[in-house]
Amino acid sequence: MACTLLRQRSRARLYGSLRAHTSCVSLSCPSSRRHFLSLFRKAPQQKAEPVPLLTEDNLFHLFSKSPFPMLRARGNAIKQLAPCPVCTSSHDQGHPNAHHEPQNVQFECPDCGWPTHCSEEHWKEDKEHEKYCTRLREANEDEHDLRSGRRMVEFELPGPQGYEEAISFANWDLFWYTRGFMSMDTERARRHASKLLTYPITIGGALHQFSPLTLNNQRLTPEGSRSLAAIRSTLHVPLGAPETAEAQVGKPQVRIFILGARAESSLPVHVWEQLCLLFPAAQLHIFFIGPQVSLPKPENPAAQKHFQPSAPASDAAPQTAEPPPSANLEVTVPAKISPIAELQNRSEYLPNVFKPPAPVAIDRQKYTRNSISRYGAPSYTTPYTKELTVTGLRTNYIDVHHHFSETLDPYSDAFFFFSPGFGFPSEHSFAEDGQTPLLQIASPTEWGPVLPLLLESKCPIFVTGFSPTDVERDVRSLSEAPDVAGQFEWVITPGPNSFGSEKWEIADFDPRVMIKANWGIWAIRGRSKDIQERSMLDGLYCYTGSVRCQTQHR
């Protein structure tokens, strides 16, 4: 009897559960009916992919026949600056049939597309051209690919890092993977992404607590470990605490000074935000300081005089009367143009000679304000987010050092020089004989008075170079600067930079000269003076010992 009741109850429970499950499934299934009003609804429009002007198999073009006016202008600039390598070698060797002066390049190599020789005969005669022709073709295709109009997935940057997701700084591949970037499927995508991110990630890779520059690989010195521990205590949280925005409370703002800034100052602000996202528990303030810093586009014609330097008197246009103060000037932010469209339509090209002019103006952000009244120089400040503020000053650092000298702190400040050219000869300063040029690190008009001031602050000073030769040249120049030699300690020993650009940059004055931005990195700081504290017992012991010696002598 009991078994029968148990069977009936179990059957009832089973049937009830099946009915409940069936009703849930029927409610969750969508209805297959199509309502009459849905016929008049507009289908959601999907954003169409941009149609590229050039396909993947049509990226190679001679510079003179390029579909983009800027590349055609660059080809013309190279023809005016670069000498023919065959003519140069014949002239140096004293060949009897050589010209008095080497001729400039005019013939474009059909294999790489760059102007490389003065004639086709010299192109066929030059056997050294084959060594770097492949790199020139690679650079040619990269320049056309940037302007092709395709979807640049390598420029789609990720947002904040996930909670408890560590970032690896071993190399570009591991960084992109752990940071959540789109997959870099081609070598060209790697070159584009590394060129865009080399400046912010070089800074992040040097300052982060998971930096690849460690004591184990002998890139970080013991003195450098103590120096970086100070600023890392501000950038990060204590061990075991979560790195969140709440940890920013009570911390000072970390200031990163980029001296002699050039192209890095023209990067979009959201690219520099990638540096800020590496340190979620810190607030960063980036300073671009240098005579070639890019400034934002003016709000109106009347404000342009505060941002652009005055033109020479010979080239100055007739001045027009300024509108009266009562005139209604609409302060508007200029409309932003797509960077790809701007590259496609730009027709001017400024050659990268010894001292190139200032880069083009950058887009003005919503909260960008003029800072000329604060620093006394053409400048701007953009509070992009609560974690990131960007300031640009178009002036020499020595002219604004007094604004920062009393507040420099090794716990919250760091200096970066991107390929400063310490070891290059100065263009304006000469030795006592009046003929031998001084090095830029010792020149009173360039870096001579700057480095001693930075060494006094005891803040870390990071320097990059575009090649092994450039790094060695800058390191050797430290011993020739009067107020620098013997006054510094090594923080990071010279060596390769894991986050250097992988894209070859071609010199306009000689296409044979190729570099990679931020190839190497090293760092120094001002020499510290160890102070040994002596207690009263040490003095008493010394006094007792001297009395004993005098007694024994008697």
Side-chain angles (χ1 to χ4, degrees):
M1 186 67 179
C3 294
T4 305
L5 290 175
L6 288 174
R7 290 175 182 174
Q8 291 178 355
R9 290 179 181 178
S10 61
R11 289 176 183 174
R13 291 177 181 176
L14 179 61
Y15 291 153
S17 62
L18 289 176
R19 290 178 61 187
H21 178 71
T22 305
S23 61
C24 292
V25 172
S26 62
L27 290 175
S28 62
C29 293
S31 176
S32 60
R33 295 180 181 179
R34 183 175 182 180
H35 298 283
F36 175 74
L37 295 178
S38 64
L39 297 175
F40 301 97
R41 294 178 182 175
K42 294 183 179 180
Q45 296 181 357
Q46 296 182 355
K47 189 176 181 180
E49 291 287 339
V51 179
L53 300 178
L54 300 176
T55 57
E56 188 71 21
D57 56 351
N58 189 29
L59 295 177
F60 175 74
H61 294 82
L62 300 178
F63 270 51
S64 60
K65 299 180 180 179
S66 174
F68 306 111
M70 185 177 179
L71 295 183
R72 295 196 298 267
R74 183 176 186 181
N76 295 331
I78 295 175
K79 293 178 181 179
Q80 297 176 4
L81 296 173
C84 175
V86 177
C87 294
T88 303
S89 60
S90 300
H91 182 270
D92 295 340
Q93 296 175 4
H95 196 275
N97 297 328
H99 295 277
H100 296 287
E101 292 294 336
Q103 297 183 0
N104 289 346
V105 296
Q106 295 294 330
F107 177 76
E108 294 178 332
C109 173
D111 297 328
C112 66
W114 292 76
T116 55
H117 297 81
C118 64
S119 63
E120 185 177 0
E121 296 178 358
H122 280 190
W123 171 71
K124 294 180 179 179
E125 183 181 346
D126 188 7
K127 302 302 181 183
E128 296 292 326
H129 179 67
E130 299 177 357
K131 297 181 179 179
Y132 53 88
C133 183
T134 304
R135 293 180 182 176
L136 289 176
R137 184 184 179 96
E138 177 184 289
N140 184 326
E141 294 180 352
D142 287 348
E143 293 296 330
H144 284 89
D145 182 63
L146 281 175
R147 299 163 175 82
S148 64
R150 69 172 177 88
R151 179 188 173 188
M152 309 293 288
V153 294
E154 56 267 37
F155 292 164
E156 298 178 5
L157 308 180
Q161 187 74 359
Y163 183 69
E164 291 187 350
E165 293 182 3
I167 303 175
S168 175
F169 290 88
N171 50 49
W172 276 120
D173 291 323
L174 289 177
F175 174 79
W176 286 327
Y177 177 75
T178 56
R179 185 64 185 87
F181 277 79
M182 300 289 286
S183 177
M184 306 295 173
D185 297 329
T186 62
E187 291 296 324
R188 181 171 290 114
R190 290 175 53 88
R191 293 193 293 269
H192 289 333
S194 63
K195 174 64 184 302
L196 178 72
L197 298 169
T198 179
Y199 294 104
I201 307 305
T202 293
I203 297 176
L207 297 180
H208 203 276
Q209 62 182 357
F210 299 145
S211 170
L213 309 172
T214 62
L215 290 169
N216 293 335
N217 57 18
Q218 299 181 355
R219 292 297 306 277
L220 183 65
T221 63
E223 296 81 6
S225 178
R226 293 194 295 267
S227 179
L228 293 183
I231 192 170
R232 285 172 180 172
S233 65
T234 308
L235 290 170
H236 298 283
V237 296
L239 187 64
E243 293 217 17
T244 58
E246 289 76 10
Q248 301 173 4
V249 179
K251 283 187 176 183
Q253 194 177 49
V254 177
R255 298 183 299 183
I256 299 175
F257 297 89
I258 302 178
L259 307 189
R262 296 183 293 270
E264 56 270 26
S265 65
S266 62
L267 287 176
V269 188
H270 72 273
V271 176
W272 285 103
E273 188 184 14
Q274 292 297 310
L275 171 61
C276 189
L277 296 177
L278 301 179
F279 306 99
Q283 295 180 348
L284 304 184
H285 193 165
I286 302 175
F287 288 86
F288 300 111
I289 305 177
Q292 300 172 19
V293 169
S294 294
L295 297 177
K297 299 174 182 177
E299 296 176 337
N300 49 57
Q304 188 171 2
K305 62 181 181 179
H306 298 296
F307 286 91
Q308 301 295 339
S310 58
S314 58
D315 300 335
Q319 297 183 356
T320 58
E322 296 184 2
S326 59
N328 294 327
L329 293 177
E330 295 183 1
V331 179
T332 58
V333 177
K336 294 184 179 180
I337 305 176
S338 171
I340 302 299
E342 187 176 358
L343 280 176
Q344 292 174 350
N345 300 325
R346 189 186 303 171
S347 58
E348 300 86 4
Y349 177 75
L350 303 175
N352 51 5
V353 291
F354 181 77
K355 189 176 181 181
V360 295
I362 58 178
D363 290 331
R364 174 177 291 273
Q365 301 297 323
K366 183 177 180 180
Y367 298 106
T368 298
R369 62 178 182 269
N370 193 347
S371 301
I372 188 172
S373 59
R374 179 174 182 179
Y375 299 107
S379 56
Y380 73 95
T381 298
T382 300
Y384 189 67
T385 61
K386 66 177 183 179
E387 292 87 7
L388 176 63
T389 304
V390 177
T391 297
L393 295 87
R394 183 177 288 181
T395 183
N396 294 318
Y397 176 77
I398 194 64
D399 298 330
V400 294
H401 174 72
H402 60 279
H403 292 288
F404 313 105
S405 58
E406 297 182 358
T407 58
L408 292 177
D409 187 359
Y411 281 81
S412 59
D413 297 321
F415 293 89
F416 279 83
F417 293 83
F418 291 111
S419 302
F422 289 154
F424 279 94
S426 174
E427 189 180 8
H428 309 286
S429 303
F430 298 89
E432 296 179 355
D433 57 2
Q435 297 180 355
T436 305
L438 295 175
L439 298 182
Q440 293 188 21
I441 195 174
S443 171
T445 59
E446 285 156 309
W447 300 119
V450 174
L451 278 181
L453 297 176
L454 303 186
L455 293 176
E456 291 179 1
S457 67
K458 301 299 186 293
C459 297
I461 304 170
F462 297 86
V463 186
T464 68
F466 52 76
S467 67
T469 304
D470 184 52
V471 172
E472 182 181 1
R473 184 191 302 115
D474 289 348
V475 171
R476 288 180 179 273
S477 67
L478 296 176
S479 60
E480 301 186 19
D483 297 329
V484 177
Q487 302 298 323
F488 66 89
E489 295 176 340
W490 287 103
V491 175
I492 295 176
T493 57
N497 176 23
S498 300
F499 299 104
S501 174
E502 297 184 357
K503 180 182 178 182
W504 287 105
E505 304 293 337
I506 313 301
D508 294 335
F509 58 85
D510 192 346
R512 296 174 298 175
V513 178
M514 309 175 192
I515 64 169
K516 288 185 176 181
N518 301 330
W519 176 89
I521 188 172
W522 51 277
I524 59 175
R525 71 165 186 178
R527 179 179 292 277
S528 60
K529 298 179 181 179
D530 297 332
I531 300 177
Q532 296 181 357
E533 183 179 358
R534 298 180 61 182
S535 63
M536 295 179 61
L537 296 178
D538 295 338
L540 180 62
Y541 176 78
C542 294
Y543 175 76
T544 306
S546 62
V547 172
R548 290 179 179 177
C549 291
Q550 292 178 4
T551 305
Q552 293 176 1
H553 181 70
R554 290 177 181 176

